[in-house]
Amino acid sequence: EVQLVESGGGSVQAGGSLSLSCAASGVMYRTYCMGWFRQAPGKEREGVAAIYRANGRTYYVDSVKGRFTVSRDNANNTLYLQMNSLKPEDTAMYYCATDSMGCPSWPDWGRFDYWGQGTQVTVSS
């Protein structure tokens, strides 16, 4: 069983930055994939970024490439998402999740096993 708790969301103006964290507890194997997803009202959940714990390989949705950076601290079981140059369309609830089978299924959120409760990110124009 893995428990995930996100933090760091908030409100910011367009062009600003926010940093999200996801603290994981429980058994976390190196082969796990850790991902960030978001869901805006009336829209489908989408994968934002992911990282493979074993080698640090990262994955991004095209809309955030060059603006967001995903990273992890394996020793402290923490996942991060640094978000720069934020846009109003980045407004959503952001969730972290883990996939015990690695990252091949990313960004298919249906394959991720454990989820946090989410943290709201609001970007105003």
Side-chain angles (χ1 to χ4, degrees):
E1 181 91 16
V2 174
Q3 295 81 40
L4 303 170
V5 179
E6 303 96 336
S7 61
S11 297
V12 66
Q13 289 192 327
S17 298
L18 282 174
S19 181
L20 305 184
S21 299
C22 173
S25 60
V27 179
M28 291 287 292
Y29 294 102
R30 286 175 53 82
T31 54
Y32 279 19
C33 184
M34 298 191 76
W36 287 100
F37 296 81
R38 65 186 179 188
Q39 188 165 19
K43 294 188 176 181
E44 291 188 1
R45 187 172 300 185
E46 68 167 346
V48 177
I51 188 165
Y52 186 46
R53 294 186 83 241
N55 60 14
R57 180 177 178 181
T58 57
Y59 306 80
Y60 296 94
V61 67
D62 286 347
S63 61
V64 307
K65 286 179 180 178
R67 300 189 298 123
F68 291 11
T69 302
V70 61
S71 60
R72 91 286 191 218
D73 179 347
N74 284 351
N76 293 302
N77 283 342
T78 304
L79 177 71
Y80 302 99
L81 185 68
Q82 177 64 40
M83 304 184 294
N84 298 327
S85 302
L86 282 161
K87 304 176 180 180
E89 51 263 44
D90 295 317
T91 295
M93 186 71 79
Y94 283 70
Y95 301 89
C96 70
T98 63
D99 185 345
S100 59
M101 302 301 290
C103 291
S105 64
W106 192 87
D108 180 0
W109 62 267
R111 300 294 299 272
F112 278 68
D113 311 291
Y114 299 103
W115 292 81
Q117 82 289 351
T119 185
Q120 178 68 37
V121 171
T122 302
V123 184
S124 58
S125 58

